[in-house]
Amino acid sequence: MLTTYVTPEGLVNYSQLKKNSSELNKYLNQLKQYQPDESWSKQETMAYWINAYNAYTIKLILEYYPVRSIKDIKKPWNQKFIPYDNGLISLHEIEHDILRRMGDPRIHFAIVCASKSCPNLKNEAFEADLLESQLNESTLTFLMDPEKNSYSDSAIDISKIFKWFSKDFKADGGVISFINSHLNSAIKDSTPISYKPYSWSLNE
């Protein structure tokens, strides 16, 4: 489904996907049927929830499509429409109560809130056995996108994701240290930081 309806640049063909939503619904039924439990590894659990977040975000957009932005939907992240553990949870709960608590800030470059300033939606599913390389690839792609982050010796102008979730990067020494480790760069801790405007326009 992702290969068919998502470009290598992460743009989603929502109009065609809405016409052929049975494939997405089949996948969502699989997510409902096979849910993580204590026997799952951390990699399996993380891959499941990243895929779930992205798939249910697409489902939410399709319910309201055509729509110009996810923010045109009333309380998009707090709607409880995702079946889990005999109840319903929200996208907010997946992101903040499950994925962020797993302690890997790279998840911020894997989950996609259907907006142009978000990370690119991968046109393949995340898999436990490939998760490490997939997270690194998604992170590097995001960091090297000049529309989302730019760097110079005198200043860096970066995504507001780093501002909103700054505490998630503290375990890696902070935002600049995290960027340096993935770009193999040497940005100084004293370098002034500014944040780019965030476009919530639909990623289509």
Side-chain angles (χ1 to χ4, degrees):
M1 182 194 71
L2 290 170
T3 303
T4 303
Y5 298 105
V6 182
T7 70
E9 295 75 32
L11 300 179
V12 183
N13 191 338
Y14 290 105
S15 61
Q16 287 301 311
L17 189 52
K18 185 160 187 172
K19 295 176 184 177
N20 302 281
S21 58
S22 60
E23 202 169 352
L24 174 62
N25 291 331
K26 180 180 177 181
Y27 178 68
L28 295 178
N29 285 332
Q30 291 177 331
L31 290 178
K32 181 180 179 181
Q33 185 176 358
Y34 302 102
Q35 297 185 344
D37 58 34
E38 293 180 356
S39 69
W40 288 37
S41 69
K42 180 179 180 179
Q43 290 76 18
E44 289 169 336
T45 303
M46 188 179 290
Y48 174 96
W49 284 115
I50 291 172
N51 290 329
Y53 185 97
N54 292 338
Y56 280 109
T57 296
I58 291 173
K59 176 178 174 60
L60 181 67
I61 295 297
L62 294 181
E63 298 237 344
Y64 293 87
Y65 194 83
V67 65
R68 291 178 299 176
S69 168
I70 192 171
K71 283 200 160 186
D72 291 339
I73 300 170
K74 185 177 180 180
K75 297 183 177 180
W77 295 288
N78 292 309
Q79 291 187 27
K80 291 182 179 286
F81 70 101
I82 301 164
Y84 177 62
D85 195 24
N86 298 316
L88 295 174
I89 62 173
S90 65
L91 292 168
H92 181 280
E93 287 170 287
I94 293 178
E95 180 178 9
H96 298 280
D97 298 340
I98 299 174
L99 283 170
R100 289 183 68 194
R101 291 184 181 182
M102 298 185 81
D104 191 330
R106 294 175 299 173
I107 62 103
H108 293 298
F109 314 111
I111 58 175
V112 182
C113 61
S115 304
K116 287 187 175 179
S117 286
C118 288
N120 294 348
L121 179 64
K122 287 183 76 66
N123 64 347
E124 64 181 25
F126 285 85
E127 301 180 44
D129 292 343
L130 303 174
L131 186 61
E132 186 67 19
S133 61
Q134 288 178 316
L135 287 174
N136 282 333
E137 181 184 0
S138 293
T139 299
L140 187 60
T141 298
F142 184 81
L143 291 175
M144 294 184 68
D145 187 337
E147 293 186 3
K148 296 165 184 173
N149 301 281
S150 56
Y151 318 92
S152 72
D153 292 337
S154 59
I156 62 174
D157 191 23
I158 57 177
S159 169
K160 285 184 179 176
I161 288 174
F162 290 109
K163 182 178 183 180
W164 295 331
F165 303 107
S166 59
K167 66 180 182 180
D168 291 4
F169 298 91
K170 287 184 178 178
D172 292 294
V175 167
I176 289 179
S177 178
F178 177 87
I179 293 172
N180 282 336
S181 67
H182 285 274
L183 291 182
N184 194 25
S185 56
I187 302 168
K188 296 180 180 178
D189 288 338
S190 58
T191 302
I193 299 175
S194 58
Y195 299 96
K196 290 181 178 290
Y198 206 88
S199 171
W200 292 100
S201 298
L202 205 62
N203 60 339
E204 64 177 349

